Structures are given as C-alpha cells and as structure tokens.
Amino acid sequence: MSVPESIWCPSPNFGPRRDGLKPELVVIHYTAMESAEAALARLCDPQAEVSAHYLIGKQGQLWQMVEQDQRAWHAGAGEWGGLDDINSRSIGIELDNTGDHPFSEPQIVVLEALLHRILKRWSLSATAVIGHSDMAPGRKVDPGPRFDWARLASLGLARATPAVTDESSEGAEFSTLVAAAGYSAAASQDDLLQALRLRHAPMRRGPLCAADMALLQALTS
C-alpha cells in the first residue's frame, strides 16, 4: 500500500503529548460537514480549538495538519480500555463525510494505506484502530453505521467482529462485559449498546438481546 503525498496544512490547534505518552490508538472520525474544504478551515481555525492529524477527502486527497508525534485536539472527553486523555494517546483521522452517505472508494483506499503506515511506524496492532463512537459512547457516533469496519479487519487494519454461534449468556452481566471490551463503564447502557452495535452490528435494532451478549462474550474471551 502506498500513501499519496500529503498536503501540509498546519493547524495551530495542537500541543505536546502529555506525560511522555506516544500514540497507542488511531481514532477514525467523519467530519459531518458539507465539504473537505469547510472541514479543513474549521480544523485550522484557532477559535474552533479542534484539529486532527489527517483529513482524507472523497477523491482521496490527503491533508496533514499536525505531526504524528504531537497532540491534536480531535477526541475530546472519553476513554478506551480504561485510559483517558485519548488525544495524548492517539492519532486522529477525519474522513470527509456528512454521516448519511457511503464513504467513497478513493477515500477508503487512502485510509487503508495511511493506517498501514501508522500502525507500522508505532508498532501497533489492528486492535489499536477505533472509532470516535467507541471512546465517546452517547456523545459521538462517527464514523457511523456506513463505515466498513469488516473491510479494514480483513486487511489487518482493525479488530474483526468475532463470529458468534452460541448465544447463551447465562451468568454474564452487560456492564462487566462491555467494560472488559474496552468501553467506558461511566456511560449509560443504551449509549454503550449503541456504540457496540455501531462497530460490530450496525444493522441490529431494538433492546439489548442475547446476540449482543454473545458478541460481548466473544470480544472479551
């Protein structure tokens, strides 16, 4: 996989990673804006106080706003795997998408190449790649139900959704399993269920069911 040459568009919204932390996560977002240019302007606006390391346009354009070893302001409040200050622990990638349409093929091809390079540089495994919704249940839903996590997983660029054949959940508690899977125990059950499904079962609807519990057991076994 080859990464196209990035367009350097420096954002003033960054700082050093705190406490000597290095990237151990990659957080994928969508911009929820009408164009990549509008998103780029916001991510580089000092008054907005937001940024990301990269932005990928629908046609596969790649902009870089913050160096990888610096702390971009993309994740906000939340946690993953019991760890907070996700900004200091992650690299943020924004995808030009409003959240209500599929991601383009050129965009995903560039994302795959970029993820491959980032994971290699920082010696990270596929489990390091998460969505904004994973670390901020209830507050964020991006990259949303249209994002193809299975495609990334097939390339070793994200955690695969385990196949579930046994839906027995006897003796299991949702709160215990969802925390063991990495999600914040501070969020409500409804928000945690939404986050779990956005990542692993985007077509599933309704209240917590045996299939959700079996999925959690498979993720934490």
Side-chain angles (χ1 to χ4, degrees), residues 26-33 35-36 39-40 42-43 50-58 60-65 72-76 87 91-98 103 107-108 110-111 114-115 118 132 140 142-143 147:
V26 182
V27 182
I28 299 177
H29 310 254
Y30 61 53
T31 59
M33 300 188 74
S35 69
L40 193 65
R42 178 171 173 77
L43 292 165
V50 294
S51 63
H53 294 87
Y54 294 98
L55 168 66
I56 305 177
K58 294 185 181 71
Q61 314 98 308
L62 176 65
W63 291 273
Q64 183 173 3
M65 292 152 284
W73 304 344
H74 62 96
N87 281 334
I91 290 171
I93 302 174
E94 293 275 0
L95 302 176
D96 176 24
N97 189 289
T98 59
F103 295 83
Q107 185 177 56
I108 296 302
V110 171
L111 173 63
L114 180 60
L115 284 173
I118 291 171
H132 202 185
K140 296 294 181 179
D142 52 316
F147 188 75

Side-chain angles (χ1 to χ4, degrees), residues 98-140:
T98 59
D100 58 6
H101 60 83
F103 295 83
S104 73
E105 179 66 15
Q107 185 177 56
I108 296 302
V109 168
V110 171
L111 173 63
E112 291 166 350
L114 180 60
L115 284 173
H116 180 79
R117 186 169 71 180
I118 291 171
L119 296 184
K120 182 177 181 180
R121 174 178 175 179
W122 298 101
S123 300
L124 302 176
S125 70
T127 59
V129 182
I130 65 172
H132 202 185
S133 57
D134 289 321
M135 49 89 27
R139 188 173 67 82
K140 296 294 181 179

Side-chain angles (χ1 to χ4, degrees), residues 79-80 129-145 147 149 161 174 178-179 181-185 187-206 208 212 215-216 219:
E79 65 179 69
W80 182 251
V129 182
I130 65 172
H132 202 185
S133 57
D134 289 321
M135 49 89 27
R139 188 173 67 82
K140 296 294 181 179
V141 297
D142 52 316
F147 188 75
W149 285 106
T161 297
F174 178 82
V178 79
Y183 296 92
S184 170
S188 71
Q189 178 172 303
D190 287 346
D191 289 343
L192 290 166
L193 180 59
Q194 180 191 43
L196 174 72
R197 288 177 173 176
L198 281 169
R199 177 64 182 268
H200 294 289
M203 301 305 293
R204 191 176 298 157
R205 300 290 185 271
L208 178 68
D212 298 313
L215 172 59
L216 279 170
L219 286 169

